[in-house]
Coordinates of all heavy atoms in Angstrom, one line a residue:
M86 N 144.8 73.9 135.5 CA 143.5 74.4 135.6 C 142.7 73.6 136.7 O 142.7 72.4 136.7 CB 142.7 74.4 134.3 CG 141.3 74.8 134.3 SD 140.4 74.6 132.8 CE 141.2 75.7 131.7
A87 N 142.0 74.3 137.5 CA 141.3 73.7 138.6 C 140.1 73.0 138.0 O 139.5 73.4 136.9 CB 140.8 74.7 139.6
L88 N 139.7 71.9 138.6 CA 138.7 71.0 138.0 C 137.3 71.8 137.9 O 136.6 71.7 136.9 CB 138.5 69.8 138.9 CG 137.5 68.8 138.4 CD1 137.8 68.3 137.0 CD2 137.4 67.6 139.4
S89 N 137.0 72.6 138.9 CA 135.8 73.3 138.9 C 135.8 74.3 137.7 O 134.7 74.5 137.1 CB 135.5 74.0 140.2 OG 136.5 74.9 140.5
A90 N 136.9 74.9 137.5 CA 137.0 75.9 136.4 C 136.8 75.1 135.0 O 136.2 75.6 134.1 CB 138.3 76.7 136.4
H91 N 137.4 74.0 135.0 CA 137.3 73.2 133.7 C 135.9 72.7 133.5 O 135.4 72.8 132.4 CB 138.2 72.0 133.8 CG 138.3 71.2 132.6 ND1 138.7 71.7 131.4 CD2 138.0 69.9 132.4 CE1 138.6 70.7 130.4 NE2 138.2 69.6 131.0
L92 N 135.2 72.3 134.6 CA 133.8 71.9 134.5 C 132.9 73.1 134.0 O 132.0 73.0 133.2 CB 133.3 71.4 135.8 CG 133.7 69.9 136.1 CD1 133.4 69.6 137.5 CD2 133.0 69.0 135.1
Q93 N 133.2 74.3 134.6 CA 132.5 75.5 134.2 C 132.7 75.8 132.7 O 131.7 76.2 132.0 CB 132.9 76.6 135.1 CG 132.1 77.9 134.9 CD 132.5 79.0 135.9 OE1 133.5 78.9 136.5 NE2 131.7 80.0 136.0
E94 N 133.9 75.6 132.3 CA 134.2 75.9 130.9 C 133.5 74.9 129.9 O 132.9 75.3 128.9 CB 135.7 75.8 130.6 CG 136.1 76.0 129.2 CD 137.6 75.9 129.0 OE1 138.4 76.1 130.0 OE2 138.0 75.5 127.9
L95 N 133.5 73.7 130.3 CA 132.8 72.6 129.5 C 131.3 72.9 129.5 O 130.6 72.8 128.5 CB 133.0 71.2 130.1 CG 134.5 70.7 129.9 CD1 134.6 69.4 130.7 CD2 134.8 70.6 128.5
S96 N 130.7 73.3 130.7 CA 129.3 73.6 130.7 C 128.9 74.8 129.8 O 127.9 74.8 129.2 CB 128.9 74.0 132.2 OG 129.0 72.8 133.0
E97 N 129.8 75.8 129.8 CA 129.6 77.0 128.9 C 129.6 76.6 127.5 O 128.7 77.0 126.7 CB 130.6 78.1 129.2 CG 130.4 79.3 128.3 CD 129.0 79.9 128.4 OE1 128.4 79.9 129.5 OE2 128.6 80.5 127.4
K98 N 130.6 75.7 127.1 CA 130.6 75.2 125.7 C 129.4 74.4 125.4 O 128.8 74.6 124.3 CB 131.9 74.4 125.5 CG 133.1 75.2 125.5 CD 134.3 74.2 125.2 CE 135.6 75.1 125.2 NZ 136.8 74.2 125.0
H99 N 128.9 73.7 126.3 CA 127.7 72.9 126.1 C 126.5 73.8 125.9 O 125.7 73.6 125.0 CB 127.4 72.0 127.4 CG 126.3 71.0 127.3 ND1 125.1 71.3 127.6 CD2 126.3 69.8 126.8 CE1 124.3 70.3 127.4 NE2 125.0 69.3 126.9
R100 N 126.3 74.9 126.7 CA 125.3 75.9 126.5 C 125.4 76.5 125.1 O 124.4 76.8 124.4 CB 125.3 76.9 127.6 CG 124.7 76.4 128.9 CD 124.5 77.6 129.9 NE 125.8 78.1 130.3 CZ 126.5 77.6 131.3 NH1 126.1 76.5 132.0 NH2 127.7 78.1 131.7
Q101 N 126.6 76.9 124.7 CA 126.8 77.5 123.4 C 126.4 76.6 122.3 O 125.8 77.0 121.3 CB 128.3 78.0 123.2 CG 128.7 79.1 124.1 CD 130.1 79.4 124.0 OE1 130.9 78.7 123.4 NE2 130.6 80.4 124.8
L102 N 126.7 75.3 122.4 CA 126.3 74.4 121.4 C 124.8 74.3 121.3 O 124.2 74.2 120.2 CB 126.9 73.0 121.6 CG 128.4 72.8 121.2 CD1 128.9 71.5 121.7 CD2 128.5 72.9 119.7
E103 N 124.1 74.3 122.5 CA 122.7 74.2 122.5 C 122.1 75.4 121.8 O 121.1 75.2 121.0 CB 122.2 74.2 123.9 CG 120.7 74.1 124.1 CD 120.1 72.9 123.5 OE1 120.7 71.8 123.5 OE2 118.9 72.9 123.0
R104 N 122.6 76.6 122.0 CA 122.1 77.8 121.3 C 122.3 77.6 119.8 O 121.5 78.0 119.0 CB 122.8 79.0 121.8 CG 122.2 79.5 123.1 CD 122.7 80.9 123.5 NE 124.1 80.9 123.7 CZ 124.8 80.8 124.9 NH1 124.1 80.5 125.9 NH2 126.1 80.9 125.0
R105 N 123.5 77.1 119.4 CA 123.8 77.0 117.9 C 122.8 75.9 117.3 O 122.4 76.2 116.2 CB 125.2 76.5 117.7 CG 126.2 77.7 118.0 CD 127.7 77.2 117.8 NE 128.0 76.7 116.5 CZ 129.0 76.0 116.2 NH1 129.9 75.7 117.1 NH2 129.2 75.6 115.0
I106 N 122.6 74.9 118.0 CA 121.6 73.9 117.5 C 120.2 74.5 117.4 O 119.6 74.3 116.3 CB 121.6 72.6 118.5 CG1 122.9 71.9 118.4 CG2 120.4 71.7 118.1 CD1 123.1 70.9 119.5
E107 N 119.8 75.3 118.4 CA 118.5 75.9 118.3 C 118.4 76.9 117.1 O 117.4 76.9 116.4 CB 118.2 76.6 119.6 CG 117.9 75.7 120.7 CD 117.7 76.5 122.1 OE1 117.8 77.7 122.1 OE2 117.5 75.8 123.1
E108 N 119.5 77.6 116.9 CA 119.5 78.6 115.8 C 119.5 77.9 114.5 O 118.8 78.3 113.6 CB 120.8 79.5 115.9 CG 120.8 80.4 117.1 CD 122.1 81.1 117.3 OE1 123.1 80.8 116.5 OE2 122.2 81.9 118.2
E109 N 120.2 76.8 114.4 CA 120.3 76.1 113.1 C 119.0 75.4 112.8 O 118.5 75.4 111.6 CB 121.4 75.0 113.1 CG 121.6 74.3 111.8 CD 122.1 75.1 110.7 OE1 122.7 76.1 110.9 OE2 121.7 74.8 109.5
T110 N 118.3 74.8 113.8 CA 117.0 74.2 113.5 C 115.9 75.2 113.2 O 115.0 74.9 112.5 CB 116.6 73.3 114.7 OG1 116.6 74.0 115.9 CG2 117.5 72.1 114.9
A111 N 116.0 76.4 113.7 CA 115.0 77.4 113.4 C 115.2 78.0 112.1 O 114.2 78.7 111.5 CB 115.1 78.5 114.5
R112 N 116.4 77.9 111.5 CA 116.6 78.5 110.2 C 116.0 77.7 109.1 O 116.0 76.5 109.1 CB 118.1 78.5 110.0 CG 118.7 79.4 108.9 CD 120.2 79.4 108.9 NE 120.8 78.1 108.8 CZ 121.1 77.5 107.6 NH1 120.7 78.0 106.5 NH2 121.7 76.3 107.6
P113 N 115.3 78.4 108.1 CA 114.7 77.7 107.0 C 115.8 77.0 106.2 O 116.9 77.5 106.0 CB 114.1 78.8 106.2 CG 113.9 79.9 107.1 CD 115.0 79.8 108.1
G114 N 115.6 75.8 105.8 CA 116.6 75.0 105.0 C 117.8 74.6 105.9 O 118.9 74.6 105.4
S115 N 117.6 74.3 107.1 CA 118.6 74.0 108.0 C 119.4 72.7 107.5 O 118.9 71.9 106.9 CB 118.1 73.7 109.4 OG 117.2 72.7 109.5
D116 N 120.7 72.7 107.9 CA 121.5 71.6 107.5 C 121.5 70.5 108.5 O 122.1 70.6 109.6 CB 123.0 72.2 107.3 CG 124.0 71.2 106.8 OD1 123.6 70.0 106.7 OD2 125.1 71.6 106.5
D117 N 120.9 69.4 108.1 CA 120.7 68.2 109.0 C 122.1 67.6 109.4 O 122.2 67.2 110.6 CB 119.9 67.1 108.4 CG 118.4 67.6 108.2 OD1 118.0 68.5 109.0 OD2 117.7 67.0 107.4
V118 N 123.0 67.6 108.5 CA 124.3 67.1 108.8 C 125.1 68.0 109.8 O 125.6 67.4 110.8 CB 125.2 66.9 107.5 CG1 126.6 66.5 107.9 CG2 124.5 65.9 106.6
A119 N 124.9 69.2 109.7 CA 125.6 70.2 110.6 C 124.9 70.0 112.0 O 125.6 70.0 113.0 CB 125.5 71.6 110.1
I120 N 123.6 69.9 112.0 CA 122.9 69.7 113.3 C 123.3 68.4 114.0 O 123.6 68.4 115.2 CB 121.4 69.7 113.1 CG1 120.9 71.2 112.6 CG2 120.6 69.3 114.3 CD1 119.5 71.2 112.1
R121 N 123.4 67.4 113.2 CA 123.8 66.1 113.8 C 125.2 66.2 114.4 O 125.5 65.7 115.5 CB 123.8 65.0 112.7 CG 124.0 63.6 113.3 CD 123.8 62.5 112.3 NE 122.9 62.8 111.2 CZ 123.2 62.8 109.9 NH1 124.4 62.5 109.5 NH2 122.3 63.1 109.0
R122 N 126.1 66.9 113.7 CA 127.5 67.1 114.1 C 127.5 67.9 115.4 O 128.2 67.5 116.4 CB 128.3 67.8 113.0 CG 129.7 67.2 112.9 CD 130.5 67.9 111.8 NE 130.0 67.4 110.5 CZ 129.6 68.2 109.4 NH1 129.7 69.5 109.5 NH2 129.2 67.7 108.3
L123 N 126.7 69.0 115.5 CA 126.6 69.8 116.7 C 126.1 69.0 117.9 O 126.6 69.0 119.0 CB 125.8 71.0 116.4 CG 126.3 72.1 115.5 CD1 125.3 73.1 115.2 CD2 127.5 72.7 116.1
K124 N 125.1 68.1 117.6 CA 124.5 67.3 118.7 C 125.5 66.3 119.2 O 125.6 66.0 120.4 CB 123.2 66.6 118.2 CG 122.1 67.6 118.1 CD 120.8 66.9 117.6 CE 119.6 67.8 117.6 NZ 118.4 67.1 117.2
Q125 N 126.3 65.7 118.3 CA 127.3 64.7 118.7 C 128.4 65.4 119.6 O 128.8 64.9 120.6 CB 128.0 64.1 117.5 CG 127.0 63.1 116.8 CD 127.6 62.6 115.5 OE1 128.5 63.2 114.9 NE2 127.1 61.5 115.0
E126 N 128.8 66.6 119.1 CA 129.8 67.4 119.9 C 129.2 67.7 121.3 O 129.9 67.6 122.3 CB 130.2 68.6 119.2 CG 131.3 69.4 119.8 CD 131.7 70.6 118.9 OE1 131.3 70.7 117.7 OE2 132.4 71.5 119.5
K127 N 128.0 68.1 121.3 CA 127.3 68.4 122.6 C 127.2 67.2 123.5 O 127.5 67.3 124.7 CB 125.9 69.0 122.3 CG 125.1 69.4 123.5 CD 123.8 69.9 123.1 CE 122.8 69.9 124.3 NZ 121.5 69.8 124.0
L128 N 126.9 66.1 122.9 CA 126.9 64.8 123.7 C 128.2 64.5 124.3 O 128.3 64.0 125.4 CB 126.3 63.7 122.9 CG 126.1 62.3 123.6 CD1 125.2 62.5 124.8 CD2 125.6 61.3 122.6
K129 N 129.2 64.6 123.5 CA 130.6 64.3 124.0 C 131.0 65.2 125.2 O 131.6 64.8 126.1 CB 131.6 64.5 122.8 CG 131.6 63.4 121.9 CD 132.7 63.7 120.8 CE 132.6 62.7 119.7 NZ 133.5 63.0 118.6
L130 N 130.6 66.5 125.1 CA 130.8 67.4 126.2 C 130.1 67.0 127.4 O 130.6 67.0 128.5 CB 130.4 68.9 125.8 CG 131.4 69.6 124.9 CD1 130.8 71.0 124.5 CD2 132.7 69.9 125.7
K131 N 128.8 66.6 127.2 CA 128.0 66.2 128.4 C 128.6 65.0 129.0 O 128.7 64.9 130.2 CB 126.6 65.9 127.9 CG 125.6 65.6 129.0 CD 125.5 66.7 130.0 CE 124.4 66.4 131.0 NZ 124.3 67.5 132.0
D132 N 129.0 64.0 128.2 CA 129.7 62.8 128.7 C 130.9 63.1 129.5 O 131.2 62.6 130.6 CB 130.0 61.8 127.6 CG 128.8 61.2 127.0 OD1 127.7 61.2 127.6 OD2 129.0 60.6 125.9
E133 N 131.7 64.0 129.0 CA 132.9 64.5 129.7 C 132.6 65.2 131.1 O 133.2 64.9 132.1 CB 133.7 65.4 128.8 CG 135.0 65.9 129.5 CD 136.1 64.8 129.7 OE1 135.9 63.7 129.2 OE2 137.1 65.2 130.3
I134 N 131.6 66.0 131.1 CA 131.1 66.7 132.3 C 130.7 65.6 133.3 O 131.1 65.7 134.5 CB 130.0 67.7 132.0 CG1 130.5 68.8 131.2 CG2 129.3 68.2 133.3 CD1 129.4 69.7 130.6
V135 N 129.9 64.7 132.9 CA 129.4 63.6 133.8 C 130.6 62.8 134.3 O 130.6 62.5 135.5 CB 128.3 62.7 133.2 CG1 128.0 61.5 134.0 CG2 127.1 63.5 132.9
R136 N 131.5 62.5 133.5 CA 132.6 61.7 133.9 C 133.5 62.4 134.9 O 133.9 61.8 135.9 CB 133.5 61.4 132.7 CG 134.7 60.4 132.9 CD 135.6 60.2 131.7 NE 136.3 61.4 131.4 CZ 137.4 61.8 132.0 NH1 137.9 61.2 133.1 NH2 138.0 62.9 131.7
L137 N 133.7 63.7 134.7 CA 134.5 64.4 135.7 C 133.8 64.6 137.0 O 134.4 64.6 138.0 CB 134.9 65.8 135.0 CG 135.9 65.8 133.9 CD1 136.0 67.2 133.3 CD2 137.2 65.3 134.4
E138 N 132.5 64.9 136.9 CA 131.7 65.1 138.1 C 131.7 63.8 138.9 O 131.8 63.8 140.2 CB 130.3 65.5 137.8 CG 130.2 67.0 137.3 CD 128.8 67.4 136.9 OE1 128.0 66.5 136.6 OE2 128.6 68.6 136.8
T139 N 131.5 62.6 138.3 CA 131.5 61.3 138.9 C 132.8 61.0 139.5 O 132.9 60.5 140.7 CB 131.1 60.2 137.9 OG1 129.9 60.6 137.3 CG2 131.0 58.9 138.6
A140 N 133.9 61.4 138.8 CA 135.3 61.1 139.4 C 135.5 61.9 140.6 O 136.2 61.5 141.5 CB 136.3 61.4 138.3
T141 N 135.0 63.1 140.7 CA 135.2 64.0 141.9 C 134.4 63.5 143.1 O 134.7 63.8 144.2 CB 134.9 65.4 141.6 OG1 133.5 65.6 141.2 CG2 135.8 66.0 140.5
Q142 N 133.4 62.7 142.9 CA 132.5 62.3 144.0 C 133.1 61.1 144.7 O 132.7 60.7 145.7 CB 131.1 62.0 143.5 CG 130.4 63.2 143.0 CD 129.0 62.9 142.4 OE1 128.7 61.7 142.2 NE2 128.3 63.9 141.9
H143 N 134.1 60.4 144.1 CA 134.6 59.2 144.7 C 135.9 59.5 145.3 O 136.7 60.2 145.4 CB 134.8 58.1 143.6 CG 133.5 57.7 143.1 ND1 133.4 56.8 142.0 CD2 132.2 57.9 143.4 CE1 132.1 56.6 141.7 NE2 131.4 57.3 142.6

């Protein structure tokens, strides 16, 4: 898989997680543990995106 396609896929997953977090926090009685898990997953994706982008610049 080309790096740009992989970065695009990771970015899309990141956006989807953001939407899921927004939906969960807007829901009455939202699950704090689930929100925390989603945020951690989102952060891991962001870290991977930054790592790959940095690697391609060198």
Side-chain angles (χ1 to χ4, degrees):
M86 174 184 297
L88 183 58
S89 61
H91 185 57
L92 282 169
Q93 187 175 12
E94 180 183 333
L95 291 174
S96 294
E97 178 57 30
K98 287 180 181 181
H99 188 267
R100 281 189 294 275
Q101 289 173 357
L102 280 171
E103 180 63 30
R104 283 192 296 270
R105 287 178 60 195
I106 291 167
E107 288 173 3
E108 290 170 1
E109 184 63 31
T110 55
R112 195 172 58 82
S115 59
D116 184 352
D117 291 339
V118 174
I120 293 169
R121 188 173 332 120
R122 223 177 284 129
L123 290 169
K124 286 182 176 182
Q125 287 173 339
E126 188 177 343
K127 182 181 161 202
L128 182 58
K129 286 180 187 177
L130 281 174
K131 184 64 174 179
D132 288 346
E133 179 70 7
I134 291 167
V135 169
R136 185 185 69 77
L137 290 172
E138 288 175 340
T139 303
T141 61
Q142 293 174 358
H143 295 173

